[in-house]
């Protein structure tokens, strides 16, 4: 049988009008010398699950809109309160761990190649003792290149036949990976929910904790993030006790995402699901050094899969996760694991407290600023995100309005699921100077009447929208804001 590419080449030679062959990625010279644009197709069938996803992943989409704005307004001084990416340098003691890890590779005794798949023993032990007070077994720790990657690997382990539940709103990776794995049907255009996923509404009305008794279906795997992205709110002990009790009763497994745990300042709030009795038999925890050691680019995280966890047939989840890791991952970088050991030294732990305080001070300022403008806001005290109630406005519209008028990138709540519509997430991971400036800009944008700073700033778009409130209830702008 003729391959699609060969067929295409025949078609190219047979016709002089090639306009129907759009879109055409690159010009090539065909065998009969016609210079044409050809559409190169493989014979590989597309994974149909990708067709179910609505557009691209959230953060690249935001980056695309930011770039488009910058292209149209090259002099714009954009401030990002969008993606939760750290901005402050890695502190000296932690950095010395990375340097040590790198330089020992240049010596015969210090050199190492592939490491243990699960991560170096010292680091697993130090994670278990320093961060979990030895509540977990070091053998249950899988050191990795980050929490996001581990969520993907957990989905590979669970396969396509599980029912996934998510907080709504939630970090989009849980839903997107469930879709890619084939766990879902299509999205419902009306509800904006994927068929086959259990959405657990979390909003101010229920203290951001779902009504578990009201879930429409028994979930197999419950993704639960605390402190939460995007709401910035951390679950209380009684809430997590209720979650664990529910999971045990239903035979569900919780995947607890604790990527922001050290931001918790209220001592009554649990930092790990394993602080809750009974969790070792029903919970996995994904975690990361990204957000408080400046490791978003360095990449180091871990997942705890207790050996007590079993599938319905009695087989071990730990064994299957180990199989996924050893088959698809070759261990976290040895250099980076030395950095991880330094984070967990006394000096490293003190250094991360300084970074966390820095970002939490930013969060407090952002929250106070929007509250002073008359808006209800949540989070920011035990987590690095401030979640602003837009009073019924479309979050993508407000996102665009703020980008255009204040040159600030934010994240629309709708990007985190239908339950996030009407809210805006502000990330505290900017520099203090940028947060100060962003707060000033937001306040000015909200002033009724002409806004002086807009006229001063060169290169800004759309003077027609001058004087409208961004969040406000006052003058309606071009897109109804
Ligand atoms: N888990 C949660 C809840 C997160 O919010 C993030 C990052 C991660 C895991 C990723 O951790 P790593 O260990 O660095 O892999 N969320 C950021 C960044 C966006 C993204 O796509 O990861 C955010 O802005 O929501």
């Amino acid at each position: 049988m003729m391959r699609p590419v060969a067929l295409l080449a025949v078609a190219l030679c047979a016709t002089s009008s090639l306009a129907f062959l759009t879109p055409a990625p690159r010009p090539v010279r065909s065998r009969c010398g016609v210079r044409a644009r050809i559409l190169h197709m493989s014979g590989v069938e597309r994974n149909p699950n990708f067709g179910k996803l609505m557009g691209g992943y959230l953060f690249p989409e935001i980056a695309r809109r930011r770039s488009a704005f910058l292209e149209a307004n090259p002099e714009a001084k954009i401030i990002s309160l969008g993606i939760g990416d750290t901005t402050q340098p890695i502190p000296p003691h932690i950095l010395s761990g990375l340097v040590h890890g790198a330089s020992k590779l240049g010596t015969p005794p210090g050199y190492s190649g592939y490491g243990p798949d699960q991560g170096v023993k010292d680091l697993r032990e130090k994670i278990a003792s320093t961060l979990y007070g030895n509540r977990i077994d070091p053998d249950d720790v899988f050191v990795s290149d980050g929490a996001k990657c581990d969520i993907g690997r957990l989905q590979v382990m669970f396969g396509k036949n599980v029912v996934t539940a998510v907080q709504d709103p939630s970090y989009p990776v849980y839903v997107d990976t469930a879709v890619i794995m084939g766990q879902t049907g299509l999205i419902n255009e009306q509800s904006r929910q994927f068929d086959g996923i259990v959405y657990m509404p979390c909003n101010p009305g229920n203290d951001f904790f779902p009504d578990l008794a009201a879930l429409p279906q028994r979930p197999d795997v419950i993704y639960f993030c605390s402190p939460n992205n995007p709401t910035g709110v951390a679950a209380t002990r009684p809430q997590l006790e209720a979650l664990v009790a529910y999971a045990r009763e239903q035979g569900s497994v919780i995947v607890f995402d604790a990527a922001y745990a050290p931001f918790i300042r209220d001592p009554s709030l649990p930092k790990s699901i394993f602080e809750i009795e009974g969790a070792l038999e029903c919970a996995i925890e994904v975690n990361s050094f990204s957000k408080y050691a400046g490791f978003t680019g360095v990449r180091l995280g871990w997942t705890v899969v207790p050996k007590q966890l079993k599938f319905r047939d009695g087989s071990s989840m730990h064994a299957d996760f180990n199989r996924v890791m050893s088959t698809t991952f070759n261990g976290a970088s040895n250099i980076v694991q030395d950095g991880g050991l330094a984070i967990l030294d006394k000096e490293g732990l003190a250094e991360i407290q300084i970074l966390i305080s820095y970002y939490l001070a930013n969060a407090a300022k952002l929250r106070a600023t929007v509250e002073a403008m008359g808006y209800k806001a949540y989070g920011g005290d035990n987590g690095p995100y401030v979640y602003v109630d837009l009073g019924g406005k479309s979050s993508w519209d407000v996102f665009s309005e703020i980008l255009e008028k204040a040159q600030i990138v934010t994240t629309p709540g709708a990007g985190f699921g239908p339950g996030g519509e009407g809210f805006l997430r502000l990330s505290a991971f900017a520099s203090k100077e940028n947060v100060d400036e962003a707060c000033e800009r937001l306040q000015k944008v909200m002033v009724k009447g002409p806004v002086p700073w807009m006229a001063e700033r060169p290169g800004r778009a759309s003077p027609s929208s001058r004087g409208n409130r961004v969040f406000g209830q006052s003058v309606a702008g071009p897109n109804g804001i």
Side-chain angles (χ1 to χ4, degrees):
M1 211 182 88
M2 210 179 254
R3 306 297 303 162
V5 175
L7 276 171
L8 209 55
V10 171
L12 281 170
C13 294
T15 176
S16 56
S17 170
L18 300 165
F20 65 93
L21 287 171
T22 56
R26 60 198 163 95
V28 292
R29 197 167 289 279
S30 75
R31 252 188 259 153
C32 53
V34 182
R35 202 170 152 72
R37 294 179 170 275
I38 67 162
L39 181 61
H40 181 91
M41 285 182 291
S42 76
V44 179
E45 190 184 325
R46 185 186 190 203
N47 174 350
N49 298 317
F50 284 93
K52 298 176 190 168
L53 292 167
M54 302 301 286
Y57 182 60
L58 174 64
F59 292 101
E61 173 58 24
I62 287 172
R64 192 191 62 71
R65 291 181 188 221
R66 171 197 171 127
S67 304
F69 178 80
L70 253 185
E71 214 164 284
N73 303 274
E75 285 162 58
K77 298 257 182 303
I78 292 190
I79 292 176
S80 178
L81 306 178
I83 189 166
D85 194 4
T86 47
T87 53
Q88 298 311 297
I90 295 174
H93 180 77
I94 299 173
L95 191 66
S96 75
L98 291 169
V99 170
H100 172 70
S103 37
K104 76 182 187 195
L105 293 180
T107 67
Y111 178 76
S112 61
Y114 290 126
D117 290 333
Q118 256 186 264
V120 297
K121 194 161 170 277
D122 285 357
L123 181 56
R124 283 187 283 125
E125 282 175 355
K126 219 164 171 180
I127 287 172
S129 60
T130 313
L131 298 177
Y132 292 92
N134 288 318
R135 276 194 196 88
I136 57 158
D137 183 341
D139 275 356
D140 295 348
V141 178
F142 293 82
V143 175
S144 75
D145 52 351
K148 186 178 192 173
C149 325
D150 281 352
I151 294 160
R153 294 182 192 115
L154 284 168
Q155 291 281 26
V156 169
M157 177 186 78
F158 286 121
K160 74 179 183 61
N161 293 328
V162 293
V163 174
T164 280
V166 294
Q167 291 161 288
D168 184 22
S170 66
Y171 180 42
V173 172
Y174 316 135
V175 167
D176 286 10
T177 52
V179 174
I180 291 170
M181 285 304 296
Q183 294 169 10
T184 74
L186 299 175
I187 198 162
N188 178 316
E189 290 294 340
Q190 223 115 65
S191 66
R192 312 299 292 166
Q193 297 185 344
F194 280 97
D195 188 29
I197 289 205
V198 176
Y199 289 80
M200 308 188 296
C202 292
N203 48 54
N206 61 9
D207 272 338
F208 296 98
F209 189 76
D211 181 355
L212 296 167
L215 298 187
Q217 195 182 350
R218 173 197 161 274
D220 290 304
V221 186
I222 303 170
Y223 289 85
F224 196 95
C225 177
S226 177
N228 189 263
N229 175 14
T231 67
V233 174
T236 64
R237 183 172 294 275
Q239 287 173 339
L240 292 183
E241 282 168 354
L243 183 68
V244 167
Y246 176 83
R248 290 177 68 98
E249 194 183 286
Q250 298 292 324
S252 309
V253 167
I254 301 162
V255 173
F256 191 77
D257 189 335
Y260 302 100
F263 286 85
I264 291 180
R265 281 287 158 90
D266 176 344
S268 75
L269 300 173
K271 292 184 175 160
S272 162
I273 194 68
F274 299 119
E275 290 182 38
I276 308 300
E277 211 175 316
L280 284 169
E281 289 88 31
C282 69
I284 287 169
E285 184 162 298
V286 292
N287 220 316
S288 173
F289 288 119
S290 280
K291 308 291 179 154
Y292 46 89
F295 269 32
T296 48
V298 174
R299 310 301 305 147
L300 190 63
W302 69 95
T303 289
V304 182
V305 186
K307 286 200 205 62
Q308 293 89 323
L309 279 175
K310 303 281 185 238
F311 287 105
R312 189 163 45 197
D313 67 358
S315 63
S316 157
M317 261 180 219
H318 182 279
D320 281 7
F321 193 62
N322 190 31
R323 188 71 166 87
V324 173
M325 291 299 269
S326 53
T327 308
T328 65
F329 184 61
N330 252 338
S333 152
N334 43 13
I335 299 172
V336 170
Q337 291 187 76
D338 269 315
L341 283 165
I343 293 172
L344 299 176
D345 285 342
K346 199 162 62 45
E347 300 89 326
L349 291 170
E351 286 176 343
I352 65 172
Q353 283 312 320
I354 295 169
L355 282 175
I356 289 168
S357 298
Y358 181 93
Y359 292 129
L360 283 178
N362 284 346
K365 169 134 194 189
L366 287 168
R367 181 167 166 178
T369 302
V370 292
E371 282 180 337
M373 294 170 186
Y375 290 87
K376 274 222 159 291
Y378 304 89
D381 38 7
N382 293 292
Y385 298 121
V386 175
Y387 194 58
V388 186
D389 188 337
L390 302 172
K393 297 198 182 302
S394 144
S395 57
W396 274 110
D397 284 355
V398 176
F399 164 88
S400 303
E401 194 85 356
I402 293 179
L403 178 58
E404 187 184 299
K405 291 183 179 171
Q407 305 174 350
I408 297 170
V409 178
T410 57
T411 310
F416 299 95
E421 184 49 299
F423 291 86
L424 197 70
R425 190 191 81 172
L426 304 178
S427 160
F429 287 112
S431 68
K432 180 188 179 305
E433 294 70 29
N434 276 354
V435 166
D436 289 347
E437 166 78 15
C439 288
E440 259 179 54
R441 290 190 197 176
L442 285 175
Q443 279 163 332
K444 284 176 185 164
V445 165
M446 293 195 66
V447 171
K448 227 174 174 179
V451 182
W453 67 268
M454 283 186 183
E456 287 158 20
R457 240 164 258 271
R460 60 166 302 277
S462 178
S464 63
S465 53
R466 183 177 302 172
N468 297 326
R469 286 187 177 194
V470 170
F471 298 125
Q473 295 80 11
S474 67
V475 195
N479 50 9
I481 295 181

